[in-house]
């Protein structure tokens, strides 16, 4: 049998109309728990869907819909939010518990984080420069590849940061959203989310799930809960996940998504879930 890993992307892939990819099971859940989210996923508006409290459960439930009939992989990984669908696939939570977890995660990240920004830079050297120039104010958020590094901070520092980047002729791009996710500015959200997770019943994973913050497979539910909460306030280093995947010599990597995203950041051959039927 082929050795396979499933890859689940994170926030940012939400778009109006994604509701048509929801399975009947997911639709039934939302009709009972959150009919407004079901409507927003179908018809928008996009601004409402982009809100973290809506985007996170919508993305996760779409991933559940795409993965629920697949054979279980040998390993599941996720980029930030994607780790929650990976854990669901491994049997850590049932669908209703998963929905409650990602809804709460979205709420705490949206409400308990100051307004801010994320900027994408082209290399680690540029990111190091900005973080050091604004030490204690600007932090790493995502290291997606050697060519895409995100840093973030609070809104009042943005004019000075942009002025410095322009003065140093460092190319950058503002990222959609107004929160400095995966930085120490989410410490309050992290603590609140941990207290919430302690109330949610879960199981140890039925197969391997790699958590980026741990830089390894984690098998104990109590440890998973602790790490998930901590990860809100710490950067995501996707390059570590890529290195882990490379070390395990998988025969196939499958991205659980409608369009390639992690495939572009992984540096290995990755197929989309809908392509499996043709292989």
């Amino acid at each position: 049998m082929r050795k396979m890993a499933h890859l689940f992307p994170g926030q940012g892939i939400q778009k109006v109309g994604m509701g048509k990819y929801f399975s009947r099971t997911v639709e039934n859940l939302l009709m009972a728990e959150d009919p407004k989210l079901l409507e927003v996923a179908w018809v928008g508006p996009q601004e409402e869907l982009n809100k973290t409290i809506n985007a996170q459960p919508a993305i996760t439930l779409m991933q559940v819909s795409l993965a629920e009939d697949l054979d279980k992989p040998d390993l599941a990984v996720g980029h930030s939010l994607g780790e929650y669908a990976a854990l669901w696939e491994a049997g850590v939570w049932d669908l209703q518990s998963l929905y409650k977890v990602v809804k709460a995660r979205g709420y705490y990240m949206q409400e308990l984080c100051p307004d801010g920004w994320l900027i994408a830079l082209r290399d680690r050297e540029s990111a190091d420069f900005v973080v050091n120039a604004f030490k204690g104010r600007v932090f790493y958020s995502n290291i997606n590849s050697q060519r895409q590094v995100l840093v973030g901070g609070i809104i009042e520092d943005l004019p000075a940061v942009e002025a410095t980047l322009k003065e140093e002729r460092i190319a950058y791009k503002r990222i959609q959203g107004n929160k400095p996710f995966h930085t120490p500015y989410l410490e309050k959200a992290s603590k609140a989310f941990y207290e919430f997770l302690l109330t949610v019943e879960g199981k140890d994973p039925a197969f391997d799930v790699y958590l980026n913050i741990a830089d390894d497979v984690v098998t104990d539910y109590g440890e998973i809960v602790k790490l998930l909460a901590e990860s809100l306030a710490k950067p995501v280093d996707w390059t570590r996940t890529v290195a882990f995947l490379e070390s395990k010599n998988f025969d196939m990597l499958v991205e659980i998504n409608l369009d390639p995203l992690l495939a572009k950041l992984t540096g290995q051959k990755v197929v989309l879930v809908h392509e499996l039927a043709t292989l």
Side-chain angles (χ1 to χ4, degrees):
M1 293 182 63
R2 292 180 296 189
K3 187 178 179 183
M4 184 180 298
H6 287 174
L7 285 58
F8 294 85
Q11 192 167 340
I13 63 172
Q14 68 276 2
K15 55 185 176 182
V16 171
M18 64 192 300
K20 68 182 178 182
Y21 299 102
F22 289 169
S23 67
R24 180 61 59 86
T25 303
V26 165
E27 284 190 336
N28 288 341
L29 170 74
L30 287 177
M31 283 190 287
E33 298 282 349
D34 198 344
K36 179 62 176 177
L37 177 59
L38 182 59
E39 178 184 351
V40 169
W42 269 96
V43 299
Q46 186 68 46
E47 294 77 13
E48 190 68 19
L49 184 58
N50 285 343
K51 292 179 179 178
T52 302
I53 196 171
N54 292 325
Q56 294 201 7
I59 290 167
T60 303
L61 293 175
M62 183 184 73
Q63 292 171 336
V64 165
S65 300
L66 295 174
E68 62 184 3
D69 292 328
L70 299 180
D71 292 335
K72 298 302 183 186
D74 299 281
L75 173 78
V77 304
H79 186 293
S80 184
L81 173 67
E83 292 183 336
Y84 292 77
L87 290 164
W88 163 83
E89 188 177 38
V92 171
W93 297 298
D94 60 26
L95 183 58
Q96 187 172 45
S97 296
L98 172 69
Y99 163 76
K100 291 179 178 179
V101 165
V102 292
K103 188 74 173 180
R105 184 181 190 265
Y107 171 80
Y108 291 126
M109 291 179 73
Q110 179 174 296
E111 299 299 325
L112 298 183
C113 177
D115 288 340
W117 46 270
L118 293 173
I119 281 176
L121 300 160
R122 291 181 177 177
D123 52 56
R124 288 290 294 268
E125 183 179 359
S126 298
D128 286 342
F129 171 80
V130 178
V131 169
N132 289 327
F134 294 88
K135 202 169 187 66
R137 304 289 295 177
V138 174
F139 302 92
Y140 282 103
S141 170
N142 287 260
I143 304 168
N144 290 327
S145 71
Q146 297 303 323
R147 303 290 295 170
Q148 187 186 85
V149 183
L150 274 60
V151 299
I154 52 177
I155 198 68
E156 49 261 44
D157 290 329
L158 181 59
V161 170
E162 289 192 304
T164 299
L165 290 170
K166 291 173 182 176
E167 182 180 343
E168 297 294 327
R169 297 184 178 181
I170 296 174
Y172 70 94
K173 179 182 178 181
R174 286 282 306 277
I175 299 299
Q176 173 187 298
N178 64 344
K179 300 287 185 179
F181 292 152
H182 292 295
T183 71
Y185 292 112
L186 272 87
E187 288 287 356
K188 187 175 180 180
S190 172
K191 292 176 182 177
F193 186 46
Y194 179 64
E195 293 300 319
F196 172 82
L197 286 173
L198 291 177
T199 70
V200 180
E201 183 177 346
K203 302 176 182 177
D204 296 342
F207 60 79
D208 286 348
V209 178
Y210 172 94
L211 295 184
N212 186 261
I213 189 176
D215 200 22
D216 203 350
V217 168
V218 182
T219 59
D220 175 72
Y221 180 65
E223 183 67 10
I224 287 170
V225 163
K226 176 175 174 289
L227 292 170
L228 289 176
E230 289 179 1
S231 69
L232 298 192
K234 294 185 177 181
V236 175
D237 187 348
W238 182 250
T239 64
R240 297 197 315 185
T241 302
V242 170
F244 182 85
L245 291 169
E246 290 175 342
S247 73
K248 298 302 179 181
N249 298 313
F250 286 98
D251 299 310
M252 182 175 292
L253 304 178
V254 182
E255 181 170 349
I256 312 301
N257 195 11
L258 301 174
D259 301 299
L261 177 62
L262 297 181
K264 298 176 181 178
L265 301 174
T266 301
Q268 303 174 61
K269 180 174 175 54
V270 179
V271 300
L272 289 175
V273 61
H274 64 76
E275 296 173 331
L276 286 175
T278 66
L279 298 177

